[in-house]
Amino acid sequence: MAKSKGDGATAKTRGEAIGVITKGSLVEGLEMKLDSAQNVEDMKAGKFVVIEGDKNDFFSMVTDMRLDAKNQEVLLHPPGREDDILRKVLAGTSTYNIVSLRPMLMMPKGAVDDDGPRPVKAIPSHFSEVQEAMEHDVAKIFGKEGDPEGRYFSIGNPLDMDTQVCLDMIRFAERSNGIFGKTGTGKSFLTRLALCGLIHYDKAVNLIFDMHNEYGFKAMKENGSSSTFVKGLKQLFGERVAIFSLDPQSTRARGVQADHEVYISYDQITVEDIAPLQDELRLNPTAVESAYLVYAIYKERWLRTLLALEGPDVEEFAREIGAHAGSLVALHRKLKRLENFPFMVSKVTDGDVVDRIMEYLDKGINVVLEFGQQTSMLCYLLVANIIARRIHEMYVKKSERFYATQRTEDQPRQLMITIEEAHKFLNPTAAKQTIFGTIAREMRKYYVSLLVVDQRPSSIDDEVLSQIGTRITALLNDEKDIQAVLTGVSGTEGLRSVLASLDSKQQALILGHAVPMPVVVKTRDYDTQFYKDMGCLDDLPEAERKAKIDKGTVALYGDN
Amino acid sequence: MTRVENVKERKPSPLSRFMPDEMAKRDGAGAERTYVGEVVESSTTELIAEARELHGGPSFGEFIRIEADLPVLGIIFNVFTHSIEPNRRPTAYGKTEEELRLEQPQIFELLRTEFQALIIGYLDGGAPVQILPPQPARIHSFVHLCTDEEVRAFTGNDDYLRRILNTSKVPTDELLIAVLRHTLRAHKHSRDYLVRMGKELSRLMGDDYDRLSSVIRRVAN
């Protein structure tokens, strides 16, 4: 039984002993016999504990717990409800609790700061004491917000603890990331948090395809029966966020003027943009080939030409260009749907929207593209594809130039593109056709990464999933989804149970590139305190606010 | 213990000088007379002592201390009363003890109460040691009941339970229950203490859950 509190040197500010290690292996994780004074109900999956070995401290996560009994007799004749003493006597002796732990990181005892945590390559000896992790343990591993580099962004607290878990924003920005969770588990909030971190610490400029108008200006907070509104990115970061809108009216109706209205001309749509819409438009494979035939002759005017035709003329047109009539007729009929979109115009008047977006991004202004009432998947897919493809081309060019000149001023800003309902873009068929598949796979070297928001990770292409650096995952129930989220992460056996047992609100498992070890957090409140931390201008006194805006403007646009 | 109380409650009678209480009062030397018995047979593991008074032995399961340089500690596991003469058994008279004391007081002089104790440790400079003493108690040394403090000090940890469980002489469970009830009283009926002892018993008894639950239940009642 664990009685001693360690000898002087080691007995620094650690939590109380909760048990001792009794068996386990490096591969399968460790088992701890819970101290009989502890209540097994306090051991929640995902809890963060420290195993104090002889030479190392092992930072571990609770993954499972089990009730066990020394002999069957006890289980056949359990003590009665009133037999309190006997129950107490049996607790920890004949009946005991085993808690499975997964060591995530180890740190040599007495290590100085730069000798940080390392991957686990050893296991603690028998009867090593297990303690609850303390604030300084967590800070040692996850860093602390407010470092001079602005590297760490607090995303929440570990379970049952009052200390920060920080994401390493530099690492977060340099790879594609995923935010997953069933519907209603707070994906949007997690996404908004992550975006706030990126924008506040200026680690990446963001392009957000905001399908449900949740990020730009005001968003509804689901709060049981009553709903309240929280601030959007525009309100928090002012000049540093620009709202582009496909549906300016809707944007206005929500009380904000879009910085730019988005119109897309038919000439901006290429066949590659249509190809990923196969599912949504129910095109058959030959339709795309027919489209290529039209494109071969009319180049960028292909869609305009095709849509200008009236029903009966299409067959003749097909014969002219040597396409299969039936197929082209079907394509024509289905593409007619595009004409219904109000943002589709025959000619754009105030410049190419992608150039404008690029201009903003170059200045470091984050762009939220709102879809207003255009919430159809077709619209979202089409627009996101068109814009992302062009942005991608530009970024490739910029990066190539930087590689050629190697001048720091040519270095492109790290760009993170946020897409929702990501499995529509990244499912195994679409991932090969949409530009997002390419970005997820190889765009890291071109300074573009994705922030994938999705409720059905199992539908995302494995190849893409395995490239996702950091996964922030709210509750998932479906076995396939859990499997998918854990794809490409080693040592995840224990995490399944953790993932399936998260609360449906404000809890998330974070694993991957931006955190040294997987951790369950109670996510940070998105409240006034948070607004303040993010430097929100609204609540500041007028003079201070103005000074700050001016300063921001100078930083963005230069002195004049 | 209960017997001693019974004896004290009795009313004085003409022949009460034969009675132990009166003798104690008459002597007036209370300090010397606090012993409950005198060792008459002694070995390392157990001893037999004669009670100072007829029917006045300590109770089953009580803790005793035998005066010596290294006072020996034991627990009572057997109390018996018999005739002084090995060949002569008391005969039934068909009268109450009260009547007999009036009519034939001498017969009580022919009876002796003796008790057997299991040695469980000793005191080394006042500190309890849960090991058998290096030397057995000496014959004719006086036996005292342990005070509550002494019991508490000796039973602070759980090693004595193993000694009790390992004896084969007596119904160990019964002894265990009696001893635990005494210690529990010394520990002011602390539930924590009982739980702690219970856990140790659970370990000692191994797979015998029925036995454990019966002991715990009876101690707690």
Side-chain angles (χ1 to χ4, degrees):
Chain A
M1 288 195 186
K3 275 179 199 156
S4 73
K5 260 277 173 205
D7 48 285
T10 56
K12 36 179 194 181
T13 43
R14 274 281 155 78
E16 59 176 327
I18 52 175
V20 291
I21 294 299
T22 50
K23 63 180 190 179
S25 76
L26 184 61
V27 179
E28 281 160 20
L30 300 169
E31 288 194 351
M32 166 183 88
K33 180 177 178 291
L34 190 67
D35 195 281
S36 56
Q38 295 285 330
N39 191 333
V40 69
E41 289 170 37
D42 292 336
M43 294 293 115
K44 294 178 191 143
K47 195 184 169 79
F48 192 40
V49 298
V50 180
I51 306 169
E52 213 170 82
D54 294 332
K55 295 181 179 165
N56 296 288
D57 288 341
F58 296 81
F59 299 97
S60 320
M61 186 191 258
V62 172
T63 55
D64 192 15
M65 36 247 126
R66 193 172 76 233
L67 302 179
D68 227 329
K70 195 162 72 172
N71 65 55
Q72 291 300 307
E73 200 72 3
V74 185
L75 304 182
L76 288 174
H77 307 286
R81 204 160 180 56
E82 67 293 341
D83 242 342
D84 186 35
I85 298 254
L86 188 56
R87 280 160 177 263
K88 277 197 186 147
V89 165
L90 292 178
T93 54
S94 289
T95 58
Y96 52 94
N97 304 305
I98 295 293
V99 178
S100 302
L101 304 177
R102 171 145 295 274
M104 298 291 183
L105 289 171
M106 59 191 258
M107 176 145 30
K109 272 186 193 293
V112 278
D113 284 347
D114 44 339
D115 192 10
R118 300 185 211 145
V120 175
K121 294 194 184 65
I123 55 171
S125 63
H126 265 107
F127 315 129
S128 294
E129 202 168 276
V130 183
Q131 295 152 347
E132 281 185 39
M134 302 296 284
E135 189 165 342
H136 65 90
D137 295 321
V138 178
K140 223 187 295 180
I141 294 174
F142 295 101
K144 226 175 163 67
E145 200 171 30
D147 59 313
E149 237 183 312
R151 195 184 181 104
Y152 297 110
F153 170 65
S154 159
I155 187 130
N157 308 327
L159 287 189
D160 298 335
M161 284 178 79
D162 198 20
T163 169
Q164 303 171 345
V165 168
C166 295
L167 285 183
D168 183 333
M169 276 327 214
I170 295 180
R171 289 171 76 100
F172 188 74
E174 69 187 17
R175 293 211 187 165
S176 288
N177 304 297
I179 293 178
F180 305 114
K182 283 205 312 183
T183 174
T185 50
K187 282 194 300 297
S188 306
F189 268 81
L190 283 169
T191 312
R192 208 177 299 120
L193 267 182
L195 289 173
C196 285
L198 284 171
I199 297 174
H200 183 64
Y201 291 112
D202 203 14
K203 294 300 177 229
V205 64
N206 290 278
L207 170 59
I208 302 151
F209 291 108
D210 185 3
M211 187 176 187
H212 306 294
N213 315 312
E214 297 170 302
Y215 303 116
F217 192 83
K218 278 188 190 167
M220 201 171 71
K221 179 180 188 178
E222 289 166 35
N223 204 359
S225 52
S226 68
S227 300
T228 49
F229 285 86
V230 293
K231 286 184 196 285
L233 297 177
K234 178 79 181 172
Q235 287 151 292
L236 286 181
F237 298 106
E239 292 287 318
R240 295 176 58 199
V241 175
I243 295 184
F244 280 53
S245 180
L246 277 176
D247 186 354
Q249 263 177 337
S250 146
T251 305
R252 254 196 306 278
R254 275 177 291 112
V256 61
Q257 180 70 37
D259 293 85
H260 197 82
E261 296 174 10
V262 177
Y263 294 101
I264 292 174
S265 81
Y266 294 110
D267 297 347
Q268 284 175 304
I269 300 179
T270 64
V271 181
E272 286 83 11
D273 296 324
I274 299 294
L277 305 178
Q278 274 184 3
D279 267 357
E280 293 299 321
L281 288 175
R282 285 191 217 86
L283 299 175
N284 45 21
T286 54
V288 177
E289 285 159 25
S290 305
Y292 272 118
L293 275 177
V294 182
Y295 181 78
I297 297 167
Y298 295 94
K299 299 297 175 210
E300 66 268 19
R301 295 181 63 80
W302 73 279
L303 185 60
R304 182 188 298 271
T305 313
L306 187 60
L307 291 181
L309 296 173
E310 289 304 324
D313 301 340
V314 181
E315 281 184 45
E316 199 178 320
F317 179 70
R319 267 195 299 281
E320 265 173 41
I321 62 166
H324 182 264
S327 157
L328 198 64
V329 168
L331 177 69
H332 174 261
R333 191 174 60 236
K334 284 165 177 165
L335 289 183
K336 273 282 181 190
R337 276 180 70 186
L338 300 185
E339 287 186 331
N340 296 335
F341 291 134
F343 56 84
M344 293 298 303
V345 292
S346 52
K347 197 165 171 49
V348 286
T349 46
D350 59 343
D352 188 341
V353 63
V354 181
D355 290 338
R356 288 299 291 273
I357 292 179
M358 206 53 205
E359 208 175 284
Y360 275 96
L361 295 179
D362 275 344
K363 282 187 203 145
I365 300 176
N366 303 277
V367 174
V368 180
L369 180 58
E370 290 196 341
F371 283 72
Q373 297 193 1
Q374 301 300 322
T375 52
S376 75
M377 201 33 96
L378 176 62
C379 167
Y380 189 65
L381 281 172
L382 180 71
V383 173
N385 241 318
I386 295 170
I387 294 176
R389 187 173 47 76
R390 298 272 310 278
I391 300 272
H392 163 231
E393 279 166 15
M394 292 180 182
Y395 253 85
V396 171
K397 274 192 209 125
K398 280 159 74 88
S399 311
E400 305 265 274
R401 191 167 64 234
F402 170 60
Y403 290 137
T405 62
Q406 299 190 353
R407 287 190 312 218
T408 36
E409 64 265 30
D410 281 343
Q411 183 172 9
R413 276 173 191 273
Q414 182 73 39
L415 170 68
M416 186 169 281
I417 302 180
T418 303
I419 46 170
E420 293 183 271
E421 305 292 348
H423 64 270
K424 297 277 184 188
F425 301 94
L426 296 172
N427 62 46
T429 29
K432 302 209 167 41
Q433 294 167 339
T434 60
I435 191 61
F436 294 103
T438 319
I439 296 177
R441 277 194 297 269
E442 60 197 44
M443 280 306 282
R444 198 167 73 81
K445 47 184 175 293
Y446 296 119
Y447 294 91
V448 182
S449 51
L450 288 182
L451 180 59
V452 172
V453 184
D454 199 50
Q455 50 180 296
R456 189 82 181 139
S458 59
S459 304
I460 296 178
D461 191 23
D462 279 354
E463 201 189 330
V464 173
L465 267 185
S466 64
Q467 297 310 314
I468 286 184
T470 308
R471 296 139 209 250
I472 302 177
T473 310
L475 173 69
L476 283 173
N477 290 126
D478 191 293
E479 195 54 41
K480 274 196 291 187
D481 289 335
I482 293 177
Q483 170 80 42
V485 167
L486 298 180
T487 306
V489 184
S490 57
T492 54
E493 296 76 21
L495 296 178
R496 286 163 181 285
S497 54
V498 174
L499 206 45
S501 60
L502 290 174
D503 281 1
S504 63
K505 286 278 174 217
Q506 275 211 320
Q507 273 195 10
L509 173 71
I510 305 177
L511 64 159
H513 198 53
V515 284
M517 63 175 273
V519 61
V520 176
V521 295
K522 179 184 164 295
T523 50
R524 194 167 175 172
D525 286 325
Y526 196 80
D527 57 6
T528 359
Q529 179 58 42
F530 180 75
Y531 302 155
K532 212 180 266 170
D533 292 346
M534 291 296 107
C536 174
L537 308 177
D538 279 8
D539 305 327
L540 291 178
E542 188 55 36
E544 205 176 321
R545 185 177 155 199
K546 199 149 189 323
K548 214 164 172 183
I549 290 177
D550 288 347
K551 210 172 126 203
T553 319
V554 169
L556 284 173
Y557 302 105
D559 257 332
N560 35 21
Chain B
M1 192 60 148
T2 45
R3 289 222 179 247
V4 174
E5 279 163 10
N6 284 344
V7 170
K8 277 181 182 163
E9 280 163 17
R10 226 169 271 137
K11 285 178 197 140
S13 66
L15 290 172
S16 60
R17 63 188 177 87
F18 291 109
M19 291 182 196
D21 280 10
E22 296 304 310
M23 278 163 67
K25 260 184 210 161
R26 196 186 47 212
D27 289 350
E32 288 167 26
R33 297 285 174 173
T34 52
Y35 68 89
V36 289
E38 187 176 330
V39 178
V40 293
E41 208 178 302
S42 177
S43 75
T44 301
T45 56
E46 57 181 87
L47 58 78
I48 300 178
E50 190 179 311
R52 186 162 62 88
E53 296 156 8
L54 183 63
H55 302 311
S59 318
F60 181 57
E62 244 180 324
F63 284 76
I64 53 162
R65 187 187 71 242
I66 294 99
E67 284 307 326
D69 290 343
L70 291 179
V72 172
L73 294 176
I75 45 180
I76 308 301
F77 70 86
N78 192 16
V79 185
F80 52 101
T81 302
H82 58 116
S83 163
I84 302 177
E85 298 277 338
N87 299 328
R88 205 183 270 178
R89 268 170 56 153
T91 38
Y93 285 93
K95 293 187 172 150
T96 64
E97 192 180 327
E98 199 83 355
E99 289 164 346
L100 280 179
R101 281 201 187 267
L102 289 171
E103 292 169 18
Q104 310 217 39
Q106 79 287 354
I107 61 168
F108 292 97
E109 296 297 312
L110 300 173
L111 296 175
R112 286 286 174 274
T113 295
E114 292 184 346
F115 51 87
Q116 275 180 293
L118 185 71
I119 309 300
I120 52 167
Y122 61 99
L123 296 174
D124 189 357
V129 183
Q130 300 197 346
I131 303 174
L132 289 183
Q135 293 293 324
R138 299 168 76 111
I139 303 289
H140 296 305
S141 34
F142 289 140
V143 178
H144 295 268
L145 288 177
C146 286
T147 61
D148 279 358
E149 282 105 81
E150 283 168 331
V151 173
R152 262 205 302 281
F154 189 76
T155 57
N157 66 32
D158 44 34
D159 293 336
Y160 67 100
L161 296 174
R162 178 179 288 275
R163 171 87 181 105
I164 298 172
L165 276 174
N166 286 345
T167 60
S168 52
K169 303 232 160 194
V170 283
T172 36
D173 283 8
E174 302 304 320
L175 178 59
L176 202 55
I177 292 164
V179 169
L180 277 174
R181 287 183 76 107
H182 282 294
T183 47
L184 199 55
R185 200 202 54 227
H187 284 270
K188 305 201 166 57
H189 300 280
S190 151
R191 290 171 81 79
D192 286 349
Y193 179 77
L194 178 57
V195 169
R196 194 146 65 80
M197 294 301 119
K199 283 189 195 294
E200 175 63 11
L201 276 182
S202 163
R203 242 162 41 111
L204 292 174
M205 289 181 173
D207 283 344
D208 206 343
Y209 166 66
D210 285 343
R211 189 172 168 203
L212 173 72
S213 58
S214 128
V215 168
I216 298 289
R217 251 193 294 274
R218 285 190 281 167
V219 171
N221 280 341

